Amino acid sequence: MLTIWGGLKSNNVQKVVWAAEELGVEYTLVPAGMEYGNTDTPEFRARNPNGLVPVIDDNGFVLWESNAIVRYLGARYGDMYFYPTDLQERALADRWMDWASLQFYPALRPAFFQLVRTDVPNRNPVLIEESLAKTETCAAILDQHLADKEFANGPHFSMADICLAVIAHRWMGLPATRKPRPHFERWFQSVRERKTAKKLLVLPLR
């Protein structure tokens, strides 16, 4: 049995839960992090010394860091498309997973926290404007990449789409004006309509 510690407000936890759902892996979700707490206990720190979610225990194998978890689940339970068997195809999927974590979300995060989790009187308009501009740059990069591709890695849904889509969901759900990105929007609509995604990519944003 797979156990996942985390809360579904977290995009990193969403990635892991979505991967488990997509792969048909039975799991138990243990609330932890954010409003749940439970991450400063000796028991939790023994699983992840950073005190962060998500963490998994897969029949005694403990792992933290969301992208590493998604890759592990894909390698163990996925097919040749979700976790590409071709080394170059897998490297391309890895690239987009890491880009989502290191470029896309850091650009979006200030605007997301300001517009979704900060009361109006306490918002910083300059910070929001800077964040939206940086995120538009990322959205343009992904839109261009998707111009001739159904999914991030080509014709098949893969682990890369999960890591990109949990960030895209926050971008598309923000109460802000966005530039039209037809390829990005077509791709996001497609992944959002997956049965597994509908359980996680919900509005309004939290």
Side-chain angles (χ1 to χ4, degrees):
M1 171 68 78
L2 175 69
T3 302
I4 305 170
W5 282 266
L8 291 179
K9 283 186 180 180
S10 162
N11 70 83
N12 288 324
V13 176
Q14 284 183 348
K15 283 188 259 183
V16 172
V17 172
W18 188 352
E21 291 271 356
E22 192 76 31
L23 297 169
V25 180
E26 187 176 352
Y27 66 91
T28 298
L29 181 63
V30 179
M34 298 182 72
E35 71 268 32
Y36 301 110
N38 304 326
T39 57
D40 286 330
T41 66
E43 293 79 11
F44 189 88
R45 292 281 178 163
R47 299 184 188 98
N48 183 356
N50 301 291
L52 299 172
V53 294
V55 180
I56 67 163
D57 184 327
D58 187 26
N59 295 304
F61 175 66
V62 177
L63 185 64
W64 42 270
E65 286 298 334
S66 60
N67 283 1
I69 296 170
V70 171
R71 290 177 179 120
Y72 164 76
L73 294 176
R76 180 163 185 181
Y77 300 107
D79 60 20
M80 63 182 293
Y81 302 118
F82 184 91
Y83 184 81
T85 52
D86 179 84
L87 184 59
Q88 293 183 355
E89 289 298 314
R90 191 187 313 160
L92 292 174
D94 284 336
R95 175 188 65 182
W96 285 110
M97 292 172 70
D98 292 344
W99 180 84
S101 295
L102 300 173
Q103 300 293 329
F104 195 8
Y105 187 57
L108 173 63
R109 189 176 187 275
F112 173 76
F113 272 82
Q114 288 285 315
L115 293 172
V116 175
R117 297 182 180 170
T118 303
D119 293 335
V120 174
N122 297 320
R123 291 177 183 171
N124 184 329
V126 174
L127 190 62
I128 293 171
E129 184 177 356
E130 290 175 350
S131 177
L132 293 176
K134 290 178 181 178
T135 310
E136 283 286 9
T137 299
C138 291
I141 290 170
L142 188 53
D143 183 68
Q144 182 177 17
H145 171 71
L146 291 165
D148 60 352
K149 296 175 182 64
E150 184 176 359
F151 298 105
N153 241 40
H156 303 287
F157 183 88
S158 76
M159 58 186 181
D161 295 290
I162 286 177
C163 296
L164 289 165
V166 295
I167 310 305
H169 170 63
R170 285 155 174 76
W171 172 234
M172 296 299 288
L174 279 186
T177 301
R178 288 168 293 276
K179 295 181 181 178
R181 308 285 182 190
H183 311 300
F184 179 109
E185 292 164 17
R186 181 264 312 154
W187 159 80
F188 180 64
Q189 179 65 25
S190 174
V191 296
R192 185 174 59 183
E193 288 302 311
R194 298 177 76 86
K195 182 179 179 180
T196 51
K198 288 180 178 180
K199 299 179 181 180
L200 299 165
L201 304 185
V202 297
L203 295 172
L205 296 174
R206 299 178 293 167

